[in-house]
Amino acid sequence: MSGGAGFREGRLAIIAGGGRLPHDIAEAARGAGEDPFIVLLSGEADRDWSGFEHATVSVGDIAAVSALLRGKNLKRVVLSGSVKRRPEWRHLRPTLSSVVKLPSIVRTLFSGGDDTVLRMVIDLLEGEGCRIVGAQEIVPNLLATLGPLGRHAPSGEDLRDIAAGVAAADVLGALDIGQGAVAVGGRVVAVEGAEGTDSMLLRVAGLRAEGRISKRRRGVLVKLCKPQQDVRADLPTIGRSTVENAGHAGLAGIAVEAGRSLVLERDALVKAADEAGLFVIGIERAVRKDAT
Amino acid sequence: MSGGAGFREGRLAIIAGGGRLPHDIAEAARGAGEDPFIVLLSGEADRDWSGFEHATVSVGDIAAVSALLRGKNLKRVVLSGSVKRRPEWRHLRPTLSSVVKLPSIVRTLFSGGDDTVLRMVIDLLEGEGCRIVGAQEIVPNLLATLGPLGRHAPSGEDLRDIAAGVAAADVLGALDIGQGAVAVGGRVVAVEGAEGTDSMLLRVAGLRAEGRISKRRRGVLVKLCKPQQDVRADLPTIGRSTVENAGHAGLAGIAVEAGRSLVLERDALVKAADEAGLFVIGIERAVRKDAT
């Protein structure tokens, strides 16, 4: 499924935030014959990168990234991993060509949802002559597929929870607020903002322990791609820890958007879900915003 | 502003959950010449009610509530205070007349948003021959008024945060998920589900401490009435603790819907807000769902 030599212009760069996704992509890229160069975001990247050529830059250091892209002939860039902190404007180091955009950069950093910020980062990188490549273009089997991933499948009640979660995640995504929601017994009990999925699941576990969510209804986590987002960055992602946290929250399973979300450590995730009795399913949204 | 003797049919009942609102209403009702009877919800009501004639019932005990309504000639009912737990179906004690509705009651308790549940409770009480009275009909000066309540007013940046929070609270309310949202620097960072406002503000304080929300932008809490909700129950409510928690979260202020939210302990709240430098403002939504 390689794109052919013609598409492999220059060297591949992976700009790496936190979590295991960037490392998985780097390994997969190497397996596909690439020699990826890793740009680690300081304070965010949290893996051992000693096996790969890499350099560390601070999140707002556009000048350092630009110098690396040119110096290492990096022409294709994967943006991957979590970025928890946004740079303060004082810490931005623009290039000469990006300095004119600085007011708009600062405005976007402070006011934009994650999606708006990512689009700005993509614009800046494209301005440096790079092509942005989705993680799924390097490791296509990361994409969630349609239907159950493991042994368990949603019940009729779970399907109703999925529908409720989809409705909530859909409007949240359209407002660029978040990608996830938890529905229990047909009712949305938690919606994801800046805190992230794991933190939301922890909250649901707490509400359950306090008796504020019925212990007799299980519920589901739904994660959807934002309708307007660039699918080359920040696709909804689940991993083994998502399954574990969903289990701690007493949920019956997890639904993600097929073809537009990433499943990390698929074998370990499926094994954990099978053992815990949770389903993990790739779904198509019934209603797409762009279809109305 | 009394509705006249003709409207004072029977004795007033206050079905009381947690928080200080039910007690404030009871005091105000007594001041207006009423002799309110208090139906305390066990595990929820948390004040000293020794000054009022009262009885305690468990949340699902429809039969006990019905017997009280008849025995005490309670014809007008105020629903007030927080209810954190929903009854499990095993703990429901229906009356003969409500037993036919039991399947729908159970379904609503498990799947409905708060608004759906409240509408069911109102239906049940009306089925007992009661009239449901909004807290604001007993204590009209609880309602938030248009404009700043204290010394401080929102800046231009705060107004932008209010607009972002309104957009989020509006769609959440329409989905019967929650009434509140927090926006910082024009971006919605937290939305309220079953956890409640204070818990959401605590989360924002945590995100701020971790550096996941800029320390240089303050932000606002917005609480709106759900567009479809019955204004006789569960109006958005703020009190002094809301101001304190908003302050701990680093926010610049609080916006609530004028005429459709309740402000408790107004003097203490305004004093706390003035001292902490926070604004508290009653707003009209720019766009109403029912106007489109």
Side-chain angles (χ1 to χ4, degrees):
Chain A
M1 295 289 280
S2 159
F7 290 97
R8 290 215 174 159
E9 193 200 348
R11 190 173 173 186
L12 180 71
I14 299 175
I15 299 185
R20 63 173 294 140
L21 178 58
H23 206 275
D24 285 1
I25 293 169
E27 297 275 11
R30 181 174 278 169
E34 301 268 8
D35 175 26
F37 182 87
I38 320 297
V39 180
L40 302 179
L41 299 176
S42 66
E44 303 286 351
D46 50 9
R47 302 281 146 162
D48 173 15
W49 285 98
S50 53
F52 292 88
E53 192 185 357
H54 63 270
T56 301
V57 303
S58 73
V59 175
D61 197 343
I62 306 169
V65 173
S66 172
L68 280 171
L69 294 173
R70 284 156 204 253
K72 301 282 178 184
N73 191 34
L74 307 170
K75 294 289 188 193
R76 291 165 299 134
V77 177
V78 174
L79 296 167
S80 146
S82 59
V83 177
K84 295 185 174 176
R85 282 174 199 78
R86 296 185 179 192
E88 302 285 347
W89 66 268
R90 296 170 304 152
H91 300 143
L92 288 175
R93 265 192 64 208
T95 54
L96 196 57
S97 63
S98 67
V99 77
V100 294
K101 300 180 187 161
L102 207 55
S104 123
I105 292 173
V106 170
R107 206 176 316 122
T108 302
L109 278 176
F110 284 135
S111 334
D114 289 345
D115 182 46
T116 311
V117 170
L118 271 169
R119 250 179 292 137
M120 177 196 72
V121 171
I122 289 173
D123 279 353
L124 284 172
L125 290 167
E126 286 178 341
E128 297 286 333
C130 291
R131 192 162 70 83
I132 307 302
V133 178
Q136 64 275 24
E137 296 177 55
I138 307 290
V139 202
N141 61 11
L142 281 178
L143 281 177
T145 47
L146 201 61
L149 264 66
R151 195 146 39 90
H152 302 285
S155 68
E157 191 177 306
D158 297 332
L159 290 175
R160 212 167 44 120
D161 285 341
I162 290 173
V166 164
D170 207 46
V171 297
L172 284 173
L175 289 170
D176 199 7
I177 295 173
Q179 298 173 320
V182 173
V184 179
R187 167 187 170 222
V188 174
V189 296
V191 277
E192 184 180 335
E195 76 277 15
T197 304
D198 285 338
S199 171
M200 175 176 63
L201 290 173
L202 201 66
R203 181 159 90 242
V204 172
L207 291 167
R208 185 91 71 175
E210 290 168 19
R212 294 174 75 166
I213 300 175
S214 166
K215 287 193 172 61
R216 290 164 176 275
R217 298 282 166 133
R218 299 187 66 189
V220 301
L221 164 68
V222 174
K223 289 193 81 171
L224 296 184
C225 195
K226 296 173 187 170
Q228 73 287 359
Q229 89 176 54
D230 191 316
V231 294
R232 294 173 300 175
D234 195 34
L235 285 183
T237 299
I238 58 171
R240 192 176 46 181
S241 69
T242 320
V243 168
E244 288 162 359
N245 289 326
H248 294 150
L251 302 185
I254 299 171
V256 292
E257 193 172 354
R260 304 217 297 168
S261 2
L262 303 180
V263 179
L264 306 189
E265 322 161 77
R266 186 175 305 220
D267 293 346
L269 177 149
V270 166
K271 187 161 178 284
D274 283 351
E275 284 172 4
L278 267 68
F279 69 82
V280 179
I281 191 168
I283 58 167
E284 280 186 329
R285 312 190 207 212
V287 182
R288 291 253 184 169
K289 280 278 173 216
D290 50 17
T292 57
Chain B
M1 297 291 278
S2 158
F7 290 96
R8 288 214 176 159
E9 193 200 349
R11 189 172 174 187
L12 180 71
I14 299 175
I15 299 185
R20 62 174 295 140
L21 178 58
H23 207 273
D24 285 0
I25 294 170
E27 297 275 12
R30 182 175 275 169
E34 300 268 7
D35 175 25
F37 182 87
I38 319 297
V39 180
L40 302 179
L41 298 177
S42 66
E44 303 286 351
D46 51 9
R47 302 281 146 163
D48 174 15
W49 285 98
S50 55
F52 291 88
E53 192 184 358
H54 63 270
T56 300
V57 303
S58 72
V59 175
D61 197 343
I62 306 168
V65 173
S66 172
L68 280 170
L69 294 173
R70 283 156 205 252
K72 302 282 178 186
N73 191 35
L74 307 171
K75 293 289 190 194
R76 292 165 298 132
V77 177
V78 174
L79 296 167
S80 145
S82 59
V83 177
K84 294 186 175 176
R85 282 175 200 78
R86 296 185 178 193
E88 301 285 347
W89 66 269
R90 296 170 306 151
H91 300 143
L92 289 175
R93 265 192 64 207
T95 54
L96 197 57
S97 65
S98 67
V99 77
V100 294
K101 299 180 188 160
L102 207 54
S104 120
I105 292 172
V106 170
R107 206 177 315 122
T108 301
L109 278 175
F110 284 134
S111 333
D114 289 346
D115 182 46
T116 310
V117 170
L118 272 170
R119 251 181 289 139
M120 177 195 73
V121 171
I122 288 172
D123 279 354
L124 285 171
L125 291 167
E126 287 178 340
E128 298 283 334
C130 291
R131 191 161 70 82
I132 308 301
V133 178
Q136 65 275 26
E137 297 177 55
I138 307 290
V139 202
N141 61 10
L142 281 178
L143 282 177
T145 48
L146 201 60
L149 265 66
R151 193 148 39 91
H152 302 284
S155 68
E157 191 177 308
D158 297 333
L159 290 174
R160 212 168 43 121
D161 285 341
I162 291 174
V166 165
D170 207 47
V171 296
L172 284 174
L175 290 170
D176 198 6
I177 295 174
Q179 298 173 321
V182 173
V184 180
R187 167 186 170 222
V188 174
V189 296
V191 277
E192 184 180 334
E195 75 277 15
T197 304
D198 284 338
S199 172
M200 175 176 62
L201 290 173
L202 200 65
R203 182 160 87 243
V204 172
L207 290 167
R208 184 91 71 178
E210 289 168 20
R212 293 174 73 166
I213 300 175
S214 167
K215 287 192 172 62
R216 291 164 176 275
R217 299 281 165 133
R218 298 187 67 189
V220 301
L221 164 67
V222 173
K223 289 192 81 171
L224 295 183
C225 195
K226 296 172 188 171
Q228 72 288 358
Q229 89 175 53
D230 190 317
V231 294
R232 294 172 300 174
D234 196 32
L235 285 184
T237 300
I238 58 170
R240 190 177 44 182
S241 69
T242 320
V243 169
E244 288 163 0
N245 289 326
H248 294 152
L251 303 184
I254 300 172
V256 292
E257 194 173 352
R260 304 216 297 168
S261 3
L262 303 179
V263 179
L264 306 188
E265 324 161 75
R266 185 174 306 221
D267 292 347
L269 177 148
V270 167
K271 187 163 176 286
D274 283 352
E275 284 172 5
L278 267 68
F279 68 83
V280 178
I281 191 168
I283 58 166
E284 281 186 330
R285 311 190 207 214
V287 182
R288 290 253 185 170
K289 278 280 172 215
D290 50 17
T292 56

Coordinates of all heavy atoms in Angstrom, one line a residue, chain B residues 55-86:
Chain B
A55 N -41.9 16.3 56.9 CA -41.8 14.8 56.9 C -40.7 14.4 55.9 O -40.5 15.1 54.9 CB -43.1 14.2 56.5
T56 N -40.1 13.2 56.1 CA -39.1 12.8 55.2 C -39.6 11.6 54.4 O -40.2 10.7 54.9 CB -37.8 12.4 56.0 OG1 -37.4 13.5 56.7 CG2 -36.7 11.9 55.1
V57 N -39.3 11.6 53.1 CA -39.7 10.5 52.2 C -38.5 10.1 51.4 O -37.6 10.9 51.2 CB -40.9 10.8 51.3 CG1 -42.1 11.3 52.1 CG2 -40.5 11.9 50.3
S58 N -38.5 8.9 50.9 CA -37.4 8.5 50.0 C -37.8 8.9 48.6 O -38.9 9.1 48.3 CB -37.0 7.0 50.1 OG -38.0 6.3 49.5
V59 N -36.7 9.1 47.8 CA -37.0 9.8 46.5 C -38.0 9.1 45.6 O -38.8 9.7 44.9 CB -35.6 10.0 45.7 CG1 -35.9 10.6 44.3 CG2 -34.7 10.9 46.5
G60 N -38.0 7.8 45.6 CA -38.9 7.1 44.8 C -40.3 6.7 45.4 O -41.1 6.0 44.8
D61 N -40.5 7.3 46.6 CA -41.7 6.9 47.3 C -42.9 7.7 46.9 O -43.4 8.6 47.7 CB -41.5 6.9 48.8 CG -42.5 6.1 49.6 OD1 -43.5 5.8 49.0 OD2 -42.2 5.8 50.8
I62 N -43.5 7.4 45.7 CA -44.6 8.2 45.2 C -45.8 8.0 46.2 O -46.6 9.0 46.4 CB -45.0 7.7 43.8 CG1 -43.8 7.7 42.9 CG2 -46.1 8.5 43.2 CD1 -44.0 7.0 41.6
A63 N -46.0 6.8 46.7 CA -47.1 6.6 47.6 C -47.1 7.5 48.9 O -48.1 8.0 49.3 CB -47.1 5.1 48.0
A64 N -45.9 7.6 49.5 CA -45.8 8.4 50.7 C -46.1 9.9 50.4 O -46.8 10.6 51.1 CB -44.4 8.3 51.3
V65 N -45.5 10.4 49.2 CA -45.8 11.8 48.8 C -47.3 12.0 48.6 O -47.9 13.0 49.1 CB -45.0 12.1 47.5 CG1 -45.4 13.5 47.0 CG2 -43.5 12.1 47.8
S66 N -47.9 11.1 47.9 CA -49.3 11.2 47.6 C -50.1 11.2 48.9 O -51.1 12.0 49.1 CB -49.8 10.0 46.8 OG -51.1 9.9 46.7
A67 N -49.8 10.4 49.9 CA -50.5 10.3 51.2 C -50.3 11.7 51.9 O -51.3 12.2 52.5 CB -50.0 9.2 52.0
L68 N -49.1 12.2 51.9 CA -48.9 13.5 52.5 C -49.7 14.6 51.8 O -50.3 15.5 52.5 CB -47.4 13.9 52.4 CG -46.5 13.2 53.5 CD1 -45.0 13.5 53.1 CD2 -46.8 13.7 54.9
L69 N -49.7 14.6 50.5 CA -50.4 15.7 49.8 C -51.9 15.7 50.2 O -52.5 16.7 50.4 CB -50.3 15.5 48.3 CG -48.9 15.6 47.6 CD1 -48.9 15.2 46.2 CD2 -48.4 17.0 47.8
R70 N -52.5 14.5 50.2 CA -53.9 14.4 50.6 C -54.1 14.7 52.1 O -55.0 15.5 52.4 CB -54.4 13.0 50.3 CG -54.6 12.8 48.8 CD -54.6 11.3 48.4 NE -54.2 11.2 47.0 CZ -55.1 10.8 46.0 NH1 -56.3 10.5 46.3 NH2 -54.7 10.8 44.8
G71 N -53.3 14.1 52.9 CA -53.5 14.2 54.4 C -53.3 15.6 54.9 O -54.0 16.0 55.8
K72 N -52.4 16.4 54.2 CA -52.2 17.7 54.7 C -52.8 18.8 53.8 O -52.6 20.0 54.0 CB -50.6 18.0 54.7 CG -49.8 17.0 55.5 CD -49.9 17.4 57.0 CE -49.1 16.4 57.9 NZ -49.3 16.6 59.3
N73 N -53.7 18.3 52.9 CA -54.4 19.3 52.0 C -53.4 20.2 51.2 O -53.6 21.4 51.1 CB -55.4 20.1 52.7 CG -56.3 20.8 51.7 OD1 -56.6 20.3 50.6 ND2 -56.7 22.1 52.1
L74 N -52.3 19.6 50.8 CA -51.3 20.3 50.0 C -51.7 20.4 48.6 O -51.8 19.4 47.9 CB -49.9 19.6 50.2 CG -49.5 19.3 51.6 CD1 -48.2 18.4 51.6 CD2 -49.2 20.6 52.4
K75 N -52.0 21.6 48.1 CA -52.5 21.8 46.8 C -51.5 22.5 45.8 O -51.7 22.5 44.6 CB -53.8 22.6 46.8 CG -55.0 21.9 47.6 CD -55.5 20.8 46.7 CE -56.8 20.2 47.3 NZ -57.1 18.9 46.7
R76 N -50.6 23.2 46.4 CA -49.6 23.9 45.6 C -48.2 23.3 46.0 O -48.0 23.2 47.2 CB -49.7 25.4 45.8 CG -51.0 26.0 45.2 CD -51.2 27.4 45.7 NE -51.3 27.4 47.2 CZ -50.7 28.2 48.0 NH1 -49.9 29.1 47.5 NH2 -50.9 28.1 49.3
V77 N -47.4 23.0 45.0 CA -46.1 22.4 45.3 C -45.0 23.1 44.6 O -45.0 23.4 43.4 CB -46.1 20.9 44.8 CG1 -44.7 20.3 45.0 CG2 -47.2 20.1 45.5
V78 N -43.9 23.4 45.4 CA -42.7 23.9 44.9 C -41.7 22.8 44.9 O -41.5 22.1 45.9 CB -42.1 25.1 45.7 CG1 -40.8 25.5 45.2 CG2 -43.1 26.3 45.7
L79 N -41.0 22.6 43.8 CA -39.9 21.6 43.7 C -38.6 22.4 43.8 O -38.4 23.2 43.0 CB -40.0 20.9 42.3 CG -41.2 20.0 42.1 CD1 -41.3 19.6 40.6 CD2 -41.2 18.8 43.0
S80 N -37.8 22.0 44.7 CA -36.6 22.9 44.9 C -35.5 22.1 45.6 O -35.6 21.2 46.4 CB -37.1 24.1 45.8 OG -36.1 24.5 46.6
G81 N -34.3 22.5 45.2 CA -33.1 21.9 45.7 C -32.5 20.8 44.8 O -33.2 20.4 43.9
S82 N -31.3 20.4 45.1 CA -30.6 19.5 44.2 C -31.0 18.0 44.6 O -31.2 17.7 45.7 CB -29.1 19.6 44.3 OG -28.7 19.4 45.6
V83 N -31.1 17.2 43.6 CA -31.3 15.8 43.8 C -30.2 15.1 43.0 O -30.2 15.0 41.8 CB -32.7 15.3 43.2 CG1 -32.9 13.8 43.4 CG2 -33.8 16.1 43.9
K84 N -29.3 14.5 43.8 CA -28.1 13.9 43.1 C -28.3 12.5 42.7 O -27.8 12.1 41.7 CB -26.9 13.9 44.1 CG -26.5 15.4 44.5 CD -25.2 15.4 45.3 CE -24.8 16.8 45.5 NZ -23.6 16.9 46.4
R85 N -29.1 11.8 43.5 CA -29.3 10.3 43.1 C -30.7 10.1 42.5 O -31.7 10.7 43.1 CB -29.2 9.5 44.4 CG -27.8 9.2 44.8 CD -27.7 8.5 46.1 NE -26.3 8.7 46.6 CZ -25.9 9.8 47.3 NH1 -26.8 10.8 47.4 NH2 -24.7 9.9 47.7
R86 N -30.8 9.3 41.5 CA -32.1 8.9 41.0 C -32.4 7.5 41.7 O -31.5 6.7 41.9 CB -32.1 8.7 39.5 CG -31.8 10.0 38.8 CD -31.9 9.9 37.4 NE -31.7 11.2 36.7 CZ -31.9 11.4 35.5 NH1 -32.4 10.5 34.7 NH2 -31.7 12.6 35.0

